[in-house]
Amino acid sequence: MMFRYDHDVSGWDWFAMSAGMILFWALIITVAAPLFRALNRPQEHTGTPAAPAPADILRERLTRGKIDEDDYRRRLNALHAGTLTKP
């Protein structure tokens, strides 16, 4: 049986401890850095509804009775013709 009775640390022991410490911290940084980036990334606001299309707004106004059918068709034609855009 081999027992080490002296409490001296040899050069290989120092090397093994140093390499182990470097590998340990490399592992911690490799895991922590992407986790930190993921947690600090601005979140996308997926819960906000998209703005309704102009044709949908016209259809809703017609359904609620705010505009009549002739006005609806005139505005829809103007919308599709592009006359409402600024020059």
Side-chain angles (χ1 to χ4, degrees):
M1 285 202 258
M2 253 183 162
F3 290 100
R4 192 179 287 184
Y5 290 105
D6 57 348
H7 297 291
D8 293 335
V9 179
S10 71
W12 287 108
D13 292 336
W14 280 107
F15 174 77
M17 286 189 296
S18 299
M21 186 60 65
I22 290 170
L23 290 174
F24 170 77
W25 284 110
L27 177 68
I28 294 296
I29 292 169
T30 302
V31 170
L35 182 65
F36 181 75
R37 286 186 195 141
L39 292 176
N40 285 334
R41 183 178 306 145
Q43 301 295 323
E44 295 180 14
H45 299 289
T46 57
T48 57
D56 294 336
I57 294 172
L58 281 176
R59 191 176 308 114
E60 182 180 335
R61 286 182 182 175
L62 176 66
T63 305
R64 292 184 182 197
K66 292 183 178 180
I67 57 175
D68 60 355
E69 190 172 342
D70 293 332
D71 195 21
Y72 169 75
R73 291 195 189 280
R74 183 179 52 80
R75 290 181 186 208
L76 190 62
N77 288 335
L79 185 66
H80 289 302
T83 58
L84 295 180
T85 58
K86 293 182 180 179

